[in-house]
Amino acid sequence: MATLHPPLAPDPRALGETELCWLRWMNDRRFPWLIVVPKRDGLREWHHLSLAEQQALLLQVNGLAAELERVTGADKINIGALGNLVPQLHIHIIARFEADACWPGPVWGQGLPEPWAEEERPVWLEALTLPESL
């Protein structure tokens, strides 16, 4: 059974899962931010997936990006799979706004996260329509 790399387990909060991926949301009220993690132990790179799994992952990421754009009205959707600090393949989908604190630069390493209270969930998250397989 696949497991989440330790930094991906506590902070990005669980949202659901598909057969291929775990879906999480970043606990930082500054940005609407989703993280998609394929359920494969030791997987570091997208191109290490089979072609069918790459295509399935692309469909999930694109669908979630479109949905995040719809519910937030973002000026730009950033999608990235850096993995320099957390080696397990994970894809960030971040709604960006020209008025956000980091615009136009990247969100990584900029300022301090502003976490939601334990019982809180962002409005945009509640409006998100998830894939049927979740």
Side-chain angles (χ1 to χ4, degrees), residues 91-134:
I91 298 91
H92 298 267
I93 307 168
I94 310 164
R96 299 296 307 277
F97 300 89
E98 291 179 7
D100 76 41
C102 298
W103 186 270
V107 298
W108 288 278
Q110 303 299 317
L112 295 174
E114 298 173 13
W116 293 87
E118 191 60 38
E119 68 284 351
E120 282 185 297
R121 287 172 62 95
V123 172
W124 63 264
L125 191 60
E126 301 303 330
L128 205 62
T129 301
L130 299 175
E132 291 182 20
S133 58
L134 286 177

